[in-house]
Amino acid sequence: MASSGDEGRVVVDLRSAAESAAGAGDEEAHATPVHEIESLCMRCGENGTTRLLLTLIPHFREVVLMSFSCPHCGERNNEVQFAGQLQPKGCCYRLEVPSGQREILNRQVVKSDSATIKIPELDFEIPPVAQRGKCSTVEGIIMRAADELQALQDERKKVDPQKAEAIDQFLLKLRSLGSGEAAFTFILDDPAGNSFIENPHAPSSDPLLSVRFYERTREQQAALGFLAEPEQPGEAVVPASAAGSNSGGLQSEPHGSVGALAGRRAIAQGNPDEVAAALCRYAAPEEVEVLPCRCGCGAECETRFFATKIPYFREVIVMATTCDICGYRNSELKPGGEIPAKGKKITLRVQNVKDLTRDVIKSDSASVQVPELELELASGTLGGMVTTVEGLIVKTCEALERIHGFQLGDSTLEWKKKKWEDFKDRLSKLLNLQEPWTLILDDGLAASFVAPATDKLEDDKQLTIEEYQRSWEQNEELGLNDMDTSSADQAYDTTNT
């Protein structure tokens, strides 16, 4: 560490800044000083100064703000990088921007280094390497993209006039979107899950904004710097405990090839009870099976699981994964058996303290609604979890505050802050049971559950369960419209054998 001369500013190396930032708590992070390092200016070749500041966007993410300036040529730039952890799933925000509504263009946008921005109407895409991590607005991102395309137009006109003319025409269309003259769709896709588009109506849903969470592919995992083993074509992933359960000495085949090769059977052809017995072989929940797996950090770890049946619900598989190297922990509850023919809507009228302690299983495909709070979360927002009624609502609100952190910042308008404060007051009244309220879980896969308060389900007057026929759109979202099980149905039909 060295002094920067007369000004007395501290200049440290990047490793020291990162280590001091990583060791600071939330309160210390706010008080972290600005670190300065001497860096090369790529414009003039002289040495400039890069300033680093670790800060925390309230209820959102830890970020590192970086600003470079060169006193010799005046070059300046700034950048945002995320100092927090990689999110469990990727996220994809889709914002519909109507024409003539410039206030939509002023929405805050957080774009991470790994995020891609798309505008389908222009067949336009901003790859992650084109614009690094930054905090801006919808208009700011579009206008910066237009400025970067415009920067080299003079040279293009000398080399390729036709291409330059085409880009000029494209820039007119792009700038018209940035000024709100035409309607378009703004898509922000981030495999790391660290990007964000502001919802001014939060905690209520926004009809113009939708968000989808998804599992990362092997290619996306590798692009983020995590070890991803290449998938070997035709290799069946079958646990060792199930290897001996394939009766008749038949060759093991992947599930997708069931019925494709005559006379061959995969494990999916067997009886479900036999498969569960072969995989689990337990006499009590304490006897669990262990599967070796690989953590996202690349280290070997273990997944423990066992199968059990929940009364009034269905058979489920409880899974837990831990990594001793990076400390990653995850627990899941997966529904067993076939996909139900109908969806399920569960409505609970919360009236007393015992209702708050009811067990709740929320699957990835379930949406959560609280009409009294005008609160509605789309499926996949919180992922799957096993909790209580109170725990579900508290986690929902914590997630809302984390995602919509701009509503709580210092620069937020007073009416927006008051809206969140009113929401928290109403939530507190509901959790204190000052008035009855309603919890609704709508699950297209019928994989969610709320425990009844009576021995018989029909005796619980506060709990209502409705089955309904899924719409075509729901089946499309769940991937059921394109699912072809005819080969597997033939394999399960033992009358032809």
Side-chain angles (χ1 to χ4, degrees):
M1 182 178 295
S3 174
S4 61
D6 298 336
E7 297 181 3
R9 294 175 296 183
V10 176
V11 179
V12 298
D13 61 283
L14 185 58
R15 179 182 296 274
S16 301
E19 290 177 351
S20 64
D26 289 347
E27 295 182 359
E28 295 176 354
H30 288 287
T32 302
V34 176
H35 298 278
E36 297 184 359
I37 58 175
E38 191 174 349
S39 9
L40 177 67
C41 177
M42 303 305 295
R43 184 177 181 180
C44 66
E46 299 290 339
N47 285 340
T49 302
T50 297
R51 295 173 175 83
L52 301 171
L53 172 65
L54 175 70
T55 186
L56 176 68
I57 297 178
H59 307 286
F60 180 56
R61 300 281 192 278
E62 300 88 352
V63 297
V64 178
L65 303 178
M66 295 182 290
S67 176
F68 172 81
S69 61
C70 178
H72 303 281
C73 65
E75 174 69 10
R76 292 177 178 271
N77 62 64
N78 56 75
E79 189 176 329
V80 175
Q81 289 190 1
F82 292 92
Q85 62 181 354
L86 186 73
Q87 300 306 305
K89 294 184 178 182
C91 64
C92 181
Y93 286 84
R94 186 183 183 92
L95 177 63
E96 302 291 341
V97 183
S99 60
Q101 297 188 19
R102 291 189 56 86
E103 64 275 6
I104 305 296
L105 299 173
N106 293 328
R107 294 199 182 189
Q108 295 283 344
V109 176
V110 176
K111 178 190 177 298
S112 74
D113 293 340
S114 57
T116 300
I117 294 176
K118 301 177 182 178
I119 301 179
E121 287 78 2
L122 295 181
D123 196 18
F124 179 60
E125 178 176 322
I126 304 177
V129 295
Q131 291 190 16
R132 301 295 301 274
K134 61 184 303 183
C135 293
S136 184
T137 62
V138 176
E139 179 184 4
I141 289 179
I142 293 177
M143 290 305 185
R144 178 175 177 179
D147 293 340
E148 290 177 350
L149 284 174
Q150 183 70 44
L152 300 177
Q153 276 296 88
D154 293 338
E155 297 181 6
R156 290 194 190 100
K157 291 178 180 179
K158 299 176 182 178
V159 178
D160 191 345
Q162 293 183 352
K163 184 177 181 180
E165 177 64 23
I167 293 179
D168 283 336
Q169 296 298 324
F170 178 81
L171 286 174
L172 292 177
K173 298 178 182 179
L174 187 62
R175 293 186 186 277
S176 67
L177 299 186
S179 59
E181 298 176 4
F184 66 98
T185 304
F186 187 87
I187 299 176
L188 178 62
D189 191 347
D190 184 9
N194 281 326
S195 294
F196 165 77
I197 295 180
E198 177 188 9
N199 175 13
H201 306 290
S204 302
S205 60
D206 185 354
L208 299 178
L209 179 65
S210 62
V211 58
R212 177 177 59 87
F213 299 91
Y214 60 88
E215 296 289 344
R216 286 183 285 269
T217 63
R218 292 174 181 265
E219 292 77 10
Q220 290 173 331
Q221 196 85 348
L224 293 174
F226 288 87
L227 181 61
E229 294 182 348
E231 185 177 2
Q232 299 180 3
E235 180 182 356
V237 183
V238 180
S241 59
S245 63
N246 196 7
S247 60
L250 298 178
Q251 181 179 350
S252 176
E253 294 290 337
H255 176 74
S257 63
V258 174
L261 300 177
R264 302 191 183 276
R265 291 172 175 268
I267 191 173
Q269 295 173 244
N271 185 283
D273 295 334
E274 296 175 357
V275 173
L279 289 175
C280 300
R281 304 195 310 275
Y282 67 91
E286 289 77 11
E287 299 180 13
V288 300
E289 292 292 325
V290 179
L291 289 176
C293 60
R294 188 176 293 275
C295 179
C297 68
E300 299 288 342
C301 60
E302 294 180 343
T303 295
R304 297 172 175 85
F305 70 95
F306 69 89
T308 185
K309 182 173 177 57
I310 298 177
Y312 305 111
F313 186 41
R314 62 195 295 180
E315 182 176 310
V316 297
I317 299 176
V318 182
M319 308 176 66
T321 304
T322 58
C323 179
D324 296 333
I325 303 301
C326 66
Y328 172 77
R329 294 177 181 271
N330 182 44
S331 60
E332 297 180 79
L333 188 142
K334 299 291 187 182
E338 63 183 4
I339 297 177
K342 296 183 178 180
K344 183 181 293 185
K345 182 178 181 181
I346 304 174
T347 304
L348 174 65
R349 187 65 176 170
V350 181
Q351 297 178 347
N352 51 56
V353 177
K354 291 185 178 180
D355 292 332
L356 293 176
T357 61
R358 294 194 190 212
D359 292 327
V360 174
I361 299 175
K362 179 198 171 296
S363 72
D364 292 337
S365 56
S367 63
V368 180
Q369 300 177 36
V370 181
E372 288 78 5
L373 286 179
E374 298 179 0
L375 174 65
E376 180 176 354
L377 295 183
S379 59
T381 302
L382 294 177
M385 64 173 62
V386 181
T387 180
T388 62
V389 173
E390 181 180 11
L392 175 62
I393 299 302
V394 171
K395 290 181 180 180
T396 298
C397 296
E398 289 177 352
L400 285 173
E401 291 184 355
R402 177 180 61 84
I403 295 175
H404 303 290
F406 282 111
Q407 305 289 343
L408 307 172
D410 295 337
S411 61
T412 305
L413 299 176
E414 288 299 326
W415 69 270
K416 291 186 178 182
K417 289 184 179 180
K418 188 176 185 303
K419 181 179 179 180
W420 274 99
E421 293 173 355
D422 293 341
F423 174 78
K424 289 183 177 180
D425 292 341
R426 293 161 59 195
L427 173 65
S428 178
K429 292 179 181 179
L430 262 58
L431 294 180
N432 292 331
L433 296 176
Q434 297 184 14
E435 57 185 37
W437 55 281
T438 307
L439 173 66
I440 301 176
L441 292 179
D442 193 339
D443 192 348
L445 291 179
S448 298
F449 170 75
V450 176
T454 58
D455 294 335
K456 294 184 178 181
L457 188 62
E458 56 270 15
D459 293 340
D460 192 343
K461 304 303 181 183
Q462 297 173 228
L463 184 64
T464 305
I465 300 178
E466 305 175 28
E467 292 186 343
Y468 61 88
Q469 197 70 36
R470 287 187 294 266
S471 63
W472 187 92
E473 289 76 12
Q474 287 178 306
N475 286 331
E476 181 69 16
E477 183 178 355
L478 296 172
L480 301 179
N481 288 334
D482 300 325
M483 185 179 295
D484 183 9
T485 60
S486 57
S487 298
D489 292 339
Q490 294 177 7
Y492 275 107
D493 187 5
T494 58
T495 59
N496 298 328
T497 59

